[in-house]
Amino acid sequence: MLLQTKPSSESTDTTASGSRRIKRSGKPRFVRRGFLYLSLIGLSFLFALPFLWQFGASFKTNAEIIQPGLNLIPESFRLDNFRRAFEEVPFDLWFYNSLFIAVLATIGATLSSAFCAYGFAVLRARGSSLWFGLALVTIFIPFEALLIPEFILFSKLGWLNTPWPLIIPWWFGGGAFNIFLMRQFFKGLPHELVDAARIDGASEVRIFWQIMLPLTIPALTVVAVFHFIYIWNDFLRPLVYLQDTTSTTLPVGLSSFVSRFRRDWSILMAGSVMALVPIIVLFAVAQRFIVRGINLSGVKR
Amino acid sequence: MTDGQGRLQLRRRPRPQPNRKLAKREARWFYFFIAPWLIGFIFFGLWPIAASFGLAFSDYDLGGWPSFVGLDNFEKMVDPVQGPVLAKAIRNTLFIALTVVPLQLALGLGLAVLLSQNVRGMPIFRTAFYLPSVVAGVASIVVWIWILGSDGLLNQGLELLGIDGPVWLRDPATVKLGVIIVMVWGGTGAMMLIFLAGLQGLPSELLDAAAVDGAGPLRRFWHVKLPLLTPQLFFNLVIGLASGLGVFTETYVISTDPGSGAPANESLTLVMYIYRQLLRNLQAGYASAVAWVFTAAVALLTALQFWSSRRWVHYEYEN
């Protein structure tokens, strides 16, 4: 929201910005603006180039791909590569596993972090800030440090090669960073709502579920979008916990695909593009929440 | 002052006597609500930390029971067999992280400054820069393997300049550079977005005042904007360095033999080393000891940044 409104307010011609303009006028304005747009267009093209090339290449034959030159648009939009990707590897299975894990982990992390954050933000108890401090510290423990004992734990539970190691832990707190984000948001809501509801005799669970939670939907969306992207791209955890080809996720499947089809670029491009599509669609739909989330995350403090 | 304070205290309504029964009830609800986190913390935080501490002093091949071996695992880290390999992994990791993070910070800040100048079509540019961060992962590394290949886009571009480029990811001399390019591409956008939010929240009075005082664009940036952006800089630095030191996906996927650190262990990173010791060599004890060293290093660096932040991060101008 902030990002959208600020630039327009800057453009209004106040005396202050007028004086700024005087100071800047080393070169004519249009020259400076020209340079600005040229560099922006050039740089954004460089950043987007890998995608553009990848999408084009997913329709090309291998011979067409290795042709020199920047041919972004394929000769024809043939779907052969995509069909081949489905035939050669259990692509549909990986896709399903990824989606299953990402959806359930996201629901768990979102609800669970909101639930716990409500406790931290609204309810008072002796030692509550101590618990919260402890939660904050865990943000800085790299998850790689816990990978080995968790691997042993999950293998003893018989959870290896099942989606559960990648889902269940998120239902218990949903990650300290998400709790922190949601707590900030709950803190911003008027406490009178809780007091009034208590006087009316509502139970704490009901106050949370029916009064406070609906008010946090903007924050919940941010947490959900970021978490979904995080889980969808997660690599090390599924690589360690899901070593079976049929139980693994898209990124891990794709990585085995990379070593198997080393020279077969057309099938690699098609496979990777199919892995990119869901996340790009989600991004397109949720972009404004992501931008808002940056402001919400409290980096500005 | 004292007078006013005294009156203030008189005027203040007597604090409601804390109802002990109600307070107790609320405390019970507090624990009810944080219970999921608490249980998760015990099972997926506290217990693994304790277990990995124990494992660091044990020999354990993932079957049967771990046996206590004292400091053997730590001695192994510096023995003639594992020592040089581990040292190489640490050097590679530091080289990658300490190159990538400054590049990401500088480029992210530069792009944010460009975008903050009331640009037409800003959301489109912003998306182009940020999208790589969203999809950073195996699916986009695949295309980079081609771009950095022998006849890939990068070498085609270099050929136009008359330079004969290497096979970036197969050449021991350039594989880390290739990884760095991929990571800068994939991590700059997220930092840019945070800088951009900071730039657009800057108090315009200060910038205008500086302009009126005759400060040019460069001085305004260096002496006014940058100090005000230090909270964003700090956040990006802490997060960027922690994730840079954990580099794994890029170095794992680009290799012809995934996870091998090929060519010549030049792409072997610390997390990959731990992964290899755990799942290839089934040395859970030794892997835990190395993981502890990794965690301690990250914790130390993070603590150092927080400690130094008091000197260079300015939080005065809250908006």
Side-chain angles (χ1 to χ4, degrees):
Chain A
M1 283 301 270
L2 194 70
L3 288 183
Q4 239 92 52
T5 52
K6 262 285 155 116
S8 58
S9 73
E10 216 174 279
S11 70
T12 53
D13 209 7
T14 60
T15 44
S17 68
S19 67
R20 228 192 286 176
R21 196 164 295 162
I22 293 165
K23 196 57 222 166
R24 267 198 201 150
S25 55
K27 289 183 206 93
R29 184 180 151 79
F30 72 90
V31 175
R32 265 191 295 107
R33 296 305 274 183
F35 270 122
L36 175 67
Y37 280 103
L38 265 180
S39 48
L40 274 176
I41 290 168
L43 283 165
S44 59
F45 180 70
L46 271 183
F47 268 78
L49 187 57
F51 289 124
L52 299 175
W53 198 89
Q54 195 172 9
F55 275 89
S58 65
F59 299 101
K60 293 177 183 171
T61 60
N62 275 322
E64 209 182 336
I65 286 176
I66 55 171
Q67 257 172 34
L70 191 61
N71 318 304
L72 291 179
I73 298 160
E75 278 164 18
S76 72
F77 286 90
R78 39 195 280 290
L79 297 173
D80 225 34
N81 301 336
F82 297 95
R83 194 178 44 73
R84 227 151 49 85
F86 274 104
E87 280 171 8
E88 299 273 354
V89 290
F91 206 86
D92 43 346
L93 216 53
W94 296 341
F95 198 91
Y96 171 78
N97 291 340
S98 264
L99 202 64
F100 182 79
I101 288 168
V103 167
L104 284 186
T106 301
I107 294 173
T110 312
L111 287 181
S112 182
S113 64
F115 191 79
C116 297
Y118 178 81
F120 283 122
V122 175
L123 299 169
R124 279 157 304 187
R126 210 185 294 165
S128 65
S129 56
L130 200 77
W131 286 118
F132 186 63
L134 199 59
L136 282 187
V137 170
T138 62
I139 293 178
F140 296 102
I141 300 175
F143 82 90
E144 291 92 346
L146 312 175
L147 196 71
I148 298 164
E150 285 189 2
F151 173 78
I152 296 166
L153 174 73
F154 295 137
S155 77
K156 297 280 183 224
L157 286 171
W159 283 6
L160 293 184
N161 295 320
T162 73
W164 308 124
L166 297 157
I167 296 170
I168 303 291
W170 296 114
W171 284 79
F172 289 91
F177 186 72
N178 290 336
I179 292 180
F180 169 73
L181 247 158
M182 291 306 299
R183 177 185 172 268
Q184 297 291 91
F185 201 83
F186 275 120
K187 280 268 183 201
L189 298 175
H191 199 268
E192 286 81 8
L193 285 171
V194 179
D195 293 335
R198 275 189 194 148
I199 290 165
D200 288 346
S203 73
E204 292 294 333
V205 176
R206 204 171 149 199
I207 296 172
F208 164 73
W209 188 253
Q210 288 192 340
I211 296 167
M212 298 299 266
L213 196 63
L215 294 173
T216 64
I217 284 175
L220 285 177
T221 321
V222 170
V223 169
V225 169
F226 273 104
H227 202 76
F228 188 93
I229 293 172
Y230 176 71
I231 297 294
W232 187 269
N233 290 331
D234 196 9
F235 184 67
L236 183 54
R237 268 178 283 227
L239 183 71
V240 172
Y241 300 144
L242 310 176
Q243 295 176 35
D244 193 34
T245 346
T246 52
S247 67
T248 205
T249 60
L250 257 180
V252 180
L254 267 178
S255 81
S256 68
F257 201 60
V258 173
S259 41
R260 224 181 102 192
F261 295 90
R262 196 122 280 273
R263 293 261 142 227
D264 198 346
W265 291 111
S266 59
I267 194 171
L268 281 176
M269 294 302 156
S272 55
V273 162
M274 282 193 283
L276 285 180
V277 166
I279 212 74
I280 289 181
V281 169
L282 178 73
F283 177 76
V285 174
Q287 199 191 2
R288 61 203 176 97
F289 295 110
I290 291 175
V291 172
R292 198 186 295 166
I294 299 294
N295 294 325
L296 199 88
S297 63
V299 187
K300 289 175 67 183
R301 272 171 313 129
Chain B
M1 229 12 217
T2 39
D3 233 341
Q5 235 173 8
R7 223 177 292 151
L8 240 163
Q9 260 168 4
L10 276 179
R11 220 185 285 155
R12 196 188 285 161
R13 248 186 288 162
R15 275 184 68 157
Q17 199 62 34
N19 183 328
R20 288 188 55 200
K21 224 171 118 191
L22 271 180
K24 234 179 168 174
R25 188 179 159 271
E26 189 165 345
R28 269 208 304 274
W29 279 112
F30 168 78
Y31 285 104
F32 173 79
F33 272 94
I34 70 158
W37 170 76
L38 208 56
I39 295 168
F41 175 66
I42 292 166
F43 281 97
F44 307 116
L46 217 53
W47 179 82
I49 289 172
S52 104
F53 189 76
L55 279 174
F57 300 95
S58 312
D59 186 24
Y60 185 45
D61 63 358
L62 298 176
W65 285 96
S67 56
F68 182 76
V69 291
L71 290 173
D72 275 13
N73 290 328
F74 293 90
E75 277 161 22
K76 197 172 165 187
M77 284 182 213
V78 289
D79 77 6
V81 184
Q82 283 303 326
V85 184
L86 177 61
K88 181 146 224 170
I90 292 173
R91 271 205 309 277
N92 289 340
T93 308
L94 283 176
F95 180 81
I96 292 172
L98 295 182
T99 316
V100 163
V101 174
L103 285 174
Q104 287 174 336
L105 286 171
L107 195 56
L109 184 59
L111 293 177
V113 168
L114 289 183
L115 283 184
S116 69
Q117 305 197 10
N118 201 10
V119 174
R120 230 174 248 271
M122 197 271 269
I124 298 170
F125 292 122
R126 190 181 59 200
T127 303
F129 296 136
Y130 183 61
L131 203 56
S133 294
V134 176
V135 298
V138 180
S140 50
I141 297 170
V142 170
V143 75
W144 277 103
I145 297 177
W146 183 82
I147 292 176
L148 298 171
S150 56
D151 302 311
L153 266 191
L154 184 59
N155 282 351
Q156 285 182 33
L158 288 175
E159 213 176 273
L160 297 178
L161 304 171
I163 302 167
D164 195 14
V167 189
W168 293 82
L169 301 175
R170 299 285 162 267
D171 190 332
T174 54
V175 62
K176 281 199 284 291
L177 283 181
V179 170
I180 287 165
I181 293 173
V182 180
M183 288 174 76
V184 169
W185 175 79
T188 298
M191 291 195 181
M192 176 213 68
L193 217 54
I194 283 164
F195 281 129
L196 189 60
L199 274 169
Q200 292 179 330
L202 288 186
S204 53
E205 316 89 68
L206 279 172
L207 294 171
D208 293 339
V212 169
D213 286 349
L218 227 87
R219 286 188 61 176
R220 277 207 302 272
F221 174 75
W222 197 252
H223 291 292
V224 184
K225 284 187 188 173
L226 199 58
L228 291 172
L229 280 179
T230 44
Q232 283 79 12
L233 193 63
F234 176 63
F235 179 87
N236 280 336
L237 182 67
V238 171
I239 303 282
L241 206 55
S243 65
L245 291 170
V247 51
F248 178 76
T249 311
E250 287 85 355
T251 47
Y252 181 93
V253 177
I254 55 149
S255 180
T256 31
D257 175 15
S260 69
N265 277 342
E266 285 297 332
S267 71
L268 179 68
T269 56
L270 201 46
V271 174
M272 193 194 280
Y273 182 83
I274 297 169
Y275 166 84
R276 240 163 60 170
Q277 293 301 331
L278 176 71
L279 291 175
R280 300 266 159 103
N281 302 349
L282 300 180
Q283 303 240 359
Y286 178 58
S288 293
V290 180
W292 265 96
V293 172
F294 169 73
T295 309
V298 174
L300 195 75
L301 273 170
T302 308
L304 213 69
Q305 291 172 76
F306 270 92
W307 173 77
S308 77
S309 73
R310 271 181 268 164
R311 287 159 193 273
W312 62 273
V313 179
H314 304 284
Y315 287 110
E316 292 99 302
Y317 299 98
E318 290 174 15
N319 256 26

